[in-house]
Amino acid sequence: MDVWIRPGRRLRGEVRVPGDKSIAHRALILAALGEGESEIRGFDPLDDSLRTLEALRACGAAAEMAGPGMLRIAGRGPKGLGTPAGVLHCGLSGTTMRLLAGVLAGQPLAATLDGDPPLRRRPMDRVVEPLRRMGARIEAADAAGHAPLSIRGGGLRGIDYTLPVASAQVKSAILLAGLSAEGVTVVHEPVPSRDHTERMLRWLGVPVEVRDGAIRLVGGARWRGRAFALPGDISAAAFFLVAASLVPGSEVFIGTVGLNPTRSAVLEVLRRMGVEVIAIPTLPEGDADGPEPTADLVARSAALRAVTLEGALIPNLIDELPVLAVAATQAEGVTVVRDASELRVKESDRIAAVAQELGAMGARIEAMGDGFVVEGPTPLRGVTVDAHGDHRMAMALAVAALVAKGETVIRGAETVTKSFPGFFAALRALGAEVA
Ligand code: S3P
């Protein structure tokens, strides 16, 4: 699908972003493994979260929509999943495949996780290797551990494992496996990554100890289902925060966004770049809550300056780097992003993709092995660009299009359904010219 965007109109109004995708995967899994009924509110039908939901259903967890955005799941207990009838299709969802590899490795079942070709090419050895060390029987498509992954679950023992890369997916896969393992599981993180799994487990009453970069839990815990409210996804909000800051005369309000400190560095970075982002803390409504702080956000147009992004900050804003690259094209000075080689193994090689597509629009951007350098500000021009099969590239390019001269055509824009099916409609509702 091609989407056409014309610049020139200011953005004003309110955006509702989908319920957080990262947290949705965890909520679904921990609801299915809990006892009794769980409710997830603010659940949006994103391609990725639906893959996790369908896989859990195929393994025996009953789930139904009980109202708009309200999902009810009947928990099967910590070792209650069973062998599915067919292959579990993860589509393009790396989080589904990695988290479920950890879950299924500890269940009394046999299952195969597969994905679309781009997911088959993404690194899975990072979960296969530690899970095998825990005693998991996993067969991969090749020696490098790529999908499909065939798992015969059960018989796990806890491990003490140091993550070679800062990855919340790998950390979570091991912790989820640790729940059904014999003994103690400890994961050491080189740099903190998003801690949604740890928070949700604690909120469910499962003891999880975090000290000096080590997360520790004991296998065999049981927990009861609860009513959980998903916060709005800050990674989705980031596109609108940047769009509002770049388009003159804009002011955008985004309600109830998750502001987990391991996930919200994009706000601090935008402020460092000169953007006024107002965050007004919100409290849970009704009887559903959760362990994640939330706030209403307001962003306005501003004159931007360049920043250097590196080190421990990177895992905290890894998904926001494509749209921050767009911000950098309009910022005064040289923006440097380094220590971000993980960008090369996301839905696309995001270093190559931003350099190629923003470069085609006229940005002065240079790819490096582990990041990129952007010299700004440069006028952008509307051209035909490609989303590289990557939802965050499609949305970042849409933001760039809002400040380009002339019309931009985004090829492959349908990929936004991975995390934000209503993205283009939301942009249009703010006043943007999108067709
Ligand atoms: C995610 C962790 C990050 C992130 C991805 C979602 C998660 O990936 O990029 O979009 O939900 O745990 P890594 O764990 O590979 O860093």
Side-chain angles (χ1 to χ4, degrees), residues 21-23 25-26 95 98-99 122 126 166-170 172 193-194 196 318-319 342 346-347 350 392:
K21 176 163 84 72
S22 262
I23 305 174
H25 291 290
R26 287 141 171 99
T95 316
R98 296 196 178 111
L99 264 48
R122 292 183 66 187
R126 50 181 64 191
S167 163
Q169 293 179 0
V170 179
S172 300
S193 65
R194 60 191 71 185
H196 303 308
I318 189 79
D319 294 338
E342 275 295 299
K346 295 295 176 188
E347 283 83 335
R350 287 184 178 157
R392 298 201 200 281

Side-chain angles (χ1 to χ4, degrees), residues 301-432:
S301 45
L304 302 194
R305 49 183 179 268
V307 276
T308 294
L309 305 176
E310 60 190 347
L313 201 57
I314 295 296
N316 198 318
L317 43 64
I318 189 79
D319 294 338
E320 289 68 72
L321 288 172
V323 77
L324 286 173
V326 175
T329 68
Q330 304 307 304
E332 184 74 46
V334 179
T335 292
V336 180
V337 173
R338 58 168 81 94
D339 304 323
S341 52
E342 275 295 299
L343 286 177
R344 295 219 178 256
V345 291
K346 295 295 176 188
E347 283 83 335
S348 68
D349 175 343
R350 287 184 178 157
I351 293 176
V354 287
Q356 184 181 331
E357 302 305 330
L358 293 180
M361 294 180 81
R364 281 202 294 273
I365 178 166
E366 197 190 318
M368 300 187 299
D370 66 346
F372 47 83
V373 177
V374 183
E375 221 179 291
T378 44
L380 299 181
R381 52 179 182 268
V383 292
T384 298
V385 289
D386 190 88
H388 294 246
D390 183 340
H391 57 138
R392 298 201 200 281
M393 281 303 301
M395 293 187 274
L397 292 169
V399 175
L402 296 173
V403 289
K405 191 166 165 6
E407 186 176 89
T408 298
V409 181
I410 304 171
R411 291 251 152 96
E414 69 282 356
T415 180
V416 299
T417 56
K418 191 175 203 286
S419 65
F420 199 162
F423 174 76
F424 291 108
L427 212 50
R428 210 177 291 122
L430 291 175

